[in-house]
Amino acid sequence: MEGSRTAPAKRKKSRITFGGILLGILKVIFTLLVIGLLTAGLFYRTFMRYVDTVLEPEMDVDASAYVLKQSSVIYYEDKENQRWAELQKIHGSENRTLVDYEDIPDHVVKALISIEDQRFYEHKGVDWKSTAASVRDTLLGRNARGASTITQQLIKNLTGEKQVTIRRKILEIFRALRFHEKYSEKEILEMYFNLVYFGHNAYGISAAAETYFGKEVGDLTIAEGAAIVGITQNPWQYDPLRSDWSREQNRNRQLNVLYKMNELGWISDKQYADAKKEKMVFVGDADYVETKADEESASGSELDSFFVEQVFRDVVAALQEKGYSRTAAQDLLYTGGYQIYCTLDPRLQEIVERVYADRSNFDYTSEKGEKLQSGMTIIDNRTHNIVAIAGRVGERQGAFEWSYAASTSPCGSAIKPLSVYSPALEAGVVTAASVIDDYPVHKLNDSAWPVNAYSGYRGLLTIQDALRISSNTTAVRVFEQLTPAASYTFMTEKLGFTSLVSDDISAAGALALGGLTNGVSTIEMAAAYSTFANNGVYTRPRTFVEVRDSYGNVVIDNKQDSWVAMKESTVYTMTELLRNVMKSGGTGAAAAFPGMTMAGKTGTTNSRRDRYFVGYTPYYTAACWCGYPTPARINTNDNPAAIAWNKVMSQVHEGLEDVDFTTSAEGMVRVTVCNKTGLLAGSGCGATRTVYVPQGLAPAMTCDAHVPVDFCTEGGAPATEFCPEELRDTHWAIDLSAPNTAAGFGYTREHIWRSLSSEQYERFSAMMEAGVIDLMPDGTPIYASDSEYLLSDIETMGTCVLHLTPPEEVPPDPFDPLNPLDPNAPFGPYDPADPNNPVNWFGDPTPPLQPIDPNQPGGTQPGAEPETPAPQQPDNSNAEYLDDYLHLNEPEQQQQQP
Ligand SMILES: [Zn+2]
Ligand SMILES: [Zn+2]
């Protein structure tokens, strides 16, 4: 009973409490609502200010060019007549044909609207209902549904901006609203159908109809239209030609489109039923009937040179920078009625194309049977414009073939002047007076590193010789002194290289020797080298000057960035060094042609798979790469790139006056320096040279490094006290610890191995047995030479091991009675014919003899074979050898006696 009494009380109490809570909740909700509204009001004002200030400038999307559909025209400068002449028109492309709205069947338009944007004709560019649903789903963590209208999708395709950020989303909404005001629904639909990607490399509905059904757009059936239109949402998933799975996906999507069209009343039940039943026959299917077999596959593209194609690429890239997507930019070029002013020089392009069309100019075949390929770029040094491009060897096979001029390739040593010597000269690490050691830098995996393109190592080299013979070790030495980071910065910030990656800083010798991750393009290389021809000013190269729209307004003003990349002293020195390379004996001699001032550098990659040449005259700079499509060894000692450079540039410069480079040594100091130490030439120095060095970097001290060493020519080492006099030879060694040299030269070689040629190996075997000479870890002698041997090396050699004891006393010859000339004869040598000769008293004189030669004090018979050998001569082969050894590769060098 109590229980029954208390229960209502409880209920009552709880009812009261519930009412209170409800009231409380309502109050809270009301308060929140007020706060919310206030906040929303504030937020709205802030938001609109954001829209007005931040988004406004980006809100307008211009598509006028699409509506115009005019061909663009490329002009070149006709210098003779001082006017811009039409080079060619650009229209159409292989994978896109534009269609007018009128040519698109109504059912295709309806299919699109039904599946992508049902309320297209009602909204103003943005479908608020589905946008709200999408926002709600996003907030609830569900999969957000695609809320984009056709207008929004079109804008995405026009701008190429597809990343999803709130800012982008808001911007897109405002852009769509603005766009919808500007263009009619027909125009929007037409642009959409022409722009959007329908999978399988088909851009636009026309290409899609051709790709999937081999039909004109106007001939598509309802079923076919639905199949194509369904693709756009996910061109990979719904591609009917890609796989069985994706064809099934396409089928489901197509049925979905047809269902919607029927649901919306846009196709009748009969049409719906027929369309569902229709058998889809795709291009490539067994029962696909090739109806257009006799039709030429329209290439459409009018682009007929690598130069024009490069212009096209560059203009597209410039439009992309302005916010267009790549496909939109390409369409603009085909249809925008643009006027493009390019930098082509028809005379030069003609020369390049003639040389490159002729296969015999590149007559090399790889082991796999591939033909050698090549690319070349020429820049006019006065305008900094690219004036001619060759993208590959042989006749053109079609539009937009792979361009070896624009793509990146390994360049080998051609990089050294840019990545090593210029920045090192700029930083004062080296000057024209420098001497650098051509000797392994270190031991890498039990081998000497780096190796040179020529065999062995040549010891102390002038910077001139180091570049002329393209020594790798010297480049690495200078590079390490410069630091890899400084080299990288110079290349990217001063010389405009964009293809380098940070791995190139750490990789051993990548920057110093040209083993770059991505390689470089001939365009980048020509631009960088043209800096030398322009007194150190780098200018970004270009293929076009300006692009104007059909009204004559400038759309792209392609002004060139330009900056001082290096000091004039660097340019002067570099040019002197690179001139040397093209002289006889230099690696670039094959590129040289008479009657023109020029400088340049070769490049060969390690496995000899690539050959490079970059060179410049006062007029033009050209860079050339050669290699096989599948990298393989180019089996020739020639440099095909240098030869191609010669063939093109000699014609390019026909009729041009030979002038000098404009760079000068003004403000530099003229010094005569020792070729072995780089110090001021002293009385003991052998070869010297006179060079210009920047003020403040001139050597202050005089060379004192040359010291005489008494050498035993037979033992190939410093003579012992017992080495015979006739085997002794004075040689001039270099003492790097001499006071001035130690202070001014500042370099001591640390030998890793003493390295010998096979000939040396034999001759020095005695010393090796004595353990005085070190060998390579694998026992292979590597060739190294010093024109004047380092004293430190000579000292580690020890002394001659062949003459360690005093020479034995040779007992005097006994008198030979048959030899009338024997000095040991009791009465001295005598004339056998002399009747007073005591010998004649004992019998017949042996063979009748000639009269004595009066000039021979000892008496001899000219013309007669001496019966006994002449006194033993010292072994001259050793002397010659040592002479070679000490003067290798420098035959011109004379030893001066102090
Ligand atoms: Zn010297
Ligand atoms: Zn000796």
Side-chain angles (χ1 to χ4, degrees):
M1 288 295 286
E2 280 191 12
S4 64
R5 226 181 287 134
T6 50
K10 268 182 190 166
R11 268 201 301 276
K12 194 185 171 190
K13 196 178 173 187
S14 79
R15 197 179 63 228
I16 291 163
T17 313
F18 177 72
I21 289 169
L22 194 68
L23 195 69
I25 287 173
L26 282 175
K27 276 182 187 169
V28 170
I29 288 177
F30 179 75
T31 313
L32 281 175
L33 211 71
V34 171
I35 293 171
L37 280 171
L38 285 170
T39 315
L42 265 173
F43 175 73
Y44 180 74
R45 284 180 55 195
T46 316
F47 178 69
M48 286 318 286
R49 201 161 59 234
Y50 169 75
V51 168
D52 285 345
T53 54
V54 180
L55 297 186
E56 173 61 31
E58 291 182 59
M59 227 184 271
D60 247 339
V61 174
D62 179 37
S64 55
Y66 282 92
V67 187
L68 283 164
K69 277 196 213 124
Q70 289 175 8
S71 296
S72 294
V73 181
I74 299 184
Y75 298 90
Y76 72 96
E77 196 183 354
D78 178 357
K79 289 190 183 100
E80 228 166 86
N81 300 307
Q82 297 194 317
R83 68 187 181 98
W84 288 93
E86 185 177 320
L87 184 68
Q88 67 182 77
K89 285 197 170 65
I90 307 179
H91 50 74
S93 77
E94 276 187 312
N95 57 357
R96 188 196 299 273
T97 316
L98 295 169
V99 288
D100 292 325
Y101 181 79
E102 285 69 30
D103 296 333
I104 305 168
D106 189 47
H107 66 79
V108 174
V109 176
K110 293 241 165 77
L112 175 73
I113 294 172
S114 74
I115 193 74
E116 291 294 337
D117 188 4
Q118 278 182 34
R119 286 180 286 275
F120 176 73
Y121 290 115
E122 289 138 42
H123 61 64
K124 301 261 176 276
V126 176
D127 189 343
W128 295 111
K129 217 169 142 184
S130 58
T131 302
S134 168
V135 168
R136 183 200 61 211
D137 288 353
T138 307
L139 291 176
L140 292 176
R142 295 183 206 153
N143 276 342
R145 302 186 303 185
S148 289
T149 62
I150 286 174
T151 314
Q152 284 168 302
Q153 290 179 35
L154 173 59
I155 286 168
K156 267 190 217 164
N157 272 279
L158 277 169
T159 58
E161 285 162 1
K162 285 180 181 155
Q163 72 268 49
V164 187
T165 64
I166 290 174
R167 182 181 184 278
R168 281 271 163 253
K169 198 71 201 161
I170 294 168
L171 181 62
E172 186 195 292
I173 287 171
F174 278 91
R175 277 174 166 177
L177 292 170
R178 183 77 56 93
F179 200 83
H180 206 83
E181 282 170 22
K182 217 164 141 186
Y183 299 102
S184 72
E185 279 153 354
K186 273 187 189 178
E187 283 171 330
I188 290 170
L189 286 168
E190 185 185 280
M191 283 186 251
Y192 184 96
F193 275 116
N194 280 313
L195 250 182
V196 165
Y197 182 52
F198 286 91
H200 224 80
N201 204 30
Y203 290 86
I205 187 79
S206 174
E210 176 67 39
T211 302
Y212 295 120
F213 299 109
K215 281 185 173 182
E216 302 269 324
V217 186
D219 299 335
L220 292 173
T221 64
I222 291 174
E224 289 166 345
I228 289 179
V229 158
I231 294 169
T232 63
Q233 199 208 34
N234 190 336
W236 183 81
Q237 185 183 344
Y238 299 125
D239 180 346
L241 298 184
R242 192 173 57 78
S243 67
D244 287 347
W245 177 81
S246 69
R247 177 170 293 196
E248 200 183 305
Q249 294 288 306
N250 180 275
R251 174 65 179 167
N252 292 338
R253 180 87 174 153
Q254 177 206 23
L255 293 175
N256 194 9
V257 173
L258 293 170
Y259 173 81
K260 289 238 161 142
M261 289 173 80
N262 180 246
E263 189 189 44
L264 289 163
W266 291 346
I267 51 171
S268 67
D269 290 348
K270 165 123 192 4
Q271 282 173 313
Y272 178 44
D274 288 349
K276 278 199 290 186
K277 266 186 281 175
E278 188 177 320
K279 186 177 190 304
M280 290 289 95
V281 180
F282 292 99
V283 168
D285 285 358
D287 31 8
Y288 170 78
V289 183
E290 180 62 83
T291 51
K292 299 184 172 189
D294 50 351
E295 269 182 42
E296 279 284 298
S297 66
S299 109
S301 174
E302 295 271 314
L303 305 177
D304 65 359
S305 78
F306 279 100
F307 191 93
V308 172
E309 285 174 357
Q310 193 58 41
V311 172
F312 188 89
R313 283 195 198 95
D314 291 349
V315 174
V316 166
L319 285 170
Q320 277 180 273
E321 266 175 40
K322 291 198 172 288
Y324 292 96
S325 68
R326 207 173 136 238
T327 47
Q330 285 175 351
D331 276 357
L332 278 178
L333 273 189
Y334 285 126
T335 62
Y338 283 171
Q339 298 146 38
I340 299 152
Y341 297 89
C342 81
T343 58
L344 175 87
D345 185 324
R347 183 181 77 90
L348 268 61
Q349 183 66 23
E350 202 269 321
I351 292 171
V352 167
E353 283 183 16
R354 192 156 16 85
V355 170
Y356 271 73
D358 185 354
R359 192 15 95 190
S360 73
N361 288 325
F362 302 87
D363 203 10
Y364 300 94
T365 308
S366 75
E367 275 182 14
K368 283 185 180 164
E370 276 186 314
K371 303 266 188 205
L372 192 72
Q373 270 303 343
S374 178
M376 187 186 280
T377 298
I378 307 181
I379 287 178
D380 183 331
N381 293 334
R382 291 154 298 182
T383 60
H384 323 294
N385 290 331
I386 297 171
V387 286
I389 293 174
R392 58 194 297 131
V393 181
E395 295 291 340
R396 282 171 64 80
Q397 304 293 314
F400 287 103
E401 282 184 281
W402 185 259
S403 167
Y404 289 107
S407 57
T408 56
S409 312
C411 66
S413 299
I415 201 97
K416 289 174 187 167
L418 309 173
S419 62
V420 177
Y421 292 107
S422 288
L425 286 164
E426 193 72 4
V429 170
V430 289
T431 68
S434 292
V435 170
I436 312 151
D437 199 8
D438 179 13
Y439 204 77
V441 176
H442 56 75
K443 184 175 152 184
L444 196 71
N445 303 330
D446 261 5
S447 343
W449 186 86
V451 292
N452 287 315
Y454 48 89
S455 64
Y457 302 95
R458 299 194 182 175
L460 296 175
L461 286 182
T462 63
I463 192 171
Q464 285 79 5
D465 282 347
L467 229 88
R468 188 173 56 81
I469 63 173
S470 198
S471 162
N472 284 340
T473 55
T474 55
V476 170
R477 280 221 155 73
V478 174
F479 178 75
E480 290 192 344
Q481 223 178 322
L482 168 72
T483 76
S487 167
Y488 182 83
T489 306
F490 192 80
M491 290 282 285
T492 52
E493 289 177 13
K494 301 288 187 181
L495 296 179
F497 279 89
T498 55
S499 47
L500 302 188
V501 293
S502 53
D503 274 3
D504 293 334
I505 305 180
S506 47
L511 277 163
L513 303 178
L516 301 166
T517 310
N518 294 333
V520 289
S521 74
T522 63
I523 295 175
E524 292 180 292
M525 285 297 268
Y529 268 78
S530 73
T531 308
F532 298 132
N534 279 300
N535 289 334
V537 176
Y538 174 88
T539 307
R540 274 201 198 284
R542 61 178 177 183
T543 54
F544 69 96
V545 179
E546 201 174 81
V547 176
R548 289 171 184 261
D549 66 15
S550 55
Y551 303 106
N553 302 318
V554 175
V555 180
I556 305 166
D557 180 4
N558 196 16
K559 284 229 165 63
Q560 293 161 294
D561 293 337
S562 197
W563 56 82
V564 175
M566 53 187 102
K567 295 174 214 156
E568 189 146 4
S569 60
T570 301
V571 177
Y572 176 83
T573 310
M574 227 29 255
T575 293
E576 290 306 303
L577 292 173
L578 293 175
R579 272 188 215 242
N580 250 338
V581 173
M582 295 189 74
K583 286 180 184 154
S584 96
T587 49
F593 54 90
M596 187 52 61
T597 300
M598 59 186 77
K601 182 78 190 75
T602 52
T604 304
T605 50
N606 268 351
S607 31
R608 300 178 78 76
R609 289 172 166 186
D610 310 80
R611 298 284 203 289
Y612 222 94
F613 191 80
V614 206
Y616 55 100
T617 69
Y619 298 97
Y620 296 102
T621 304
C624 177
W625 169 87
C626 284
Y628 292 110
T630 312
R633 188 186 174 86
I634 306 171
N635 261 327
T636 170
N637 286 327
D638 295 336
N639 181 334
I643 295 167
W645 193 93
N646 177 315
K647 282 182 176 154
V648 169
M649 292 294 260
S650 58
Q651 294 181 62
V652 162
H653 287 81
E654 251 167 42
L656 290 176
E657 190 195 341
D658 186 5
V659 291
D660 204 354
F661 291 116
T662 52
T663 178
S664 81
E666 216 182 293
M668 295 172 82
V669 189
R670 191 169 179 270
V671 286
T672 299
V673 292
C674 172
N675 282 4
K676 287 300 155 194
T677 62
L679 299 184
L680 294 172
S683 55
C685 298
T688 61
R689 67 198 193 282
T690 300
V691 291
Y692 287 91
V693 296
Q695 228 143 17
L697 293 178
M701 280 181 276
T702 303
C703 177
D704 58 355
H706 310 273
V707 293
V709 175
D710 201 13
F711 237 72
C712 172
T713 52
E714 198 175 61
T720 64
E721 56 180 306
F722 303 116
C723 292
E725 206 49 50
E726 64 270 21
L727 298 181
R728 286 167 181 268
D729 197 3
T730 302
H731 286 298
W732 292 86
I734 295 171
D735 179 8
L736 293 177
S737 62
N740 285 357
T741 303
F745 184 58
Y747 171 72
T748 317
R749 177 189 297 177
E750 283 174 34
H751 269 290
I752 303 166
W753 309 286
R754 186 167 310 289
S755 314
L756 304 167
S757 71
S758 50
E759 194 197 18
Q760 287 169 320
Y761 191 92
E762 231 167 79
R763 292 189 182 279
F764 283 83
S765 56
M767 292 175 69
M768 283 187 285
E769 272 163 33
V772 186
I773 291 175
D774 303 329
L775 298 174
M776 280 278 288
D778 64 355
T780 331
I782 50 166
Y783 186 80
S785 63
D786 264 317
S787 51
E788 287 177 292
Y789 216 63
L790 298 185
L791 186 66
S792 54
D793 288 355
I794 293 171
E795 280 165 355
T796 54
M797 247 181 211
T799 50
C800 174
V801 291
L802 303 181
H803 305 103
L804 299 174
T805 50
E808 282 172 40
E809 283 292 319
V810 183
D813 248 354
F815 166 56
D816 176 2
L818 289 180
N819 183 0
L821 301 178
D822 191 335
N824 297 326
F827 310 104
Y830 58 89
D831 178 2
D834 187 352
N836 298 324
N837 188 334
V839 174
N840 288 335
W841 306 337
F842 303 105
D844 276 355
T846 39
L849 293 170
Q850 305 289 322
I852 292 176
D853 180 356
N855 296 328
Q856 288 291 325
T860 187
Q861 302 167 346
E865 283 291 322
E867 288 182 9
T868 52
Q872 189 77 34
Q873 290 293 316
D875 182 3
N876 275 329
S877 59
N878 253 344
E880 268 165 34
Y881 153 66
L882 256 170
D883 204 45
D884 274 353
Y885 183 54
L886 297 169
H887 301 278
L888 259 171
N889 306 306
E890 302 215 355
E892 75 281 5
Q893 184 163 331
Q894 295 295 317
Q895 286 300 322
Q896 289 180 11
Q897 302 296 325

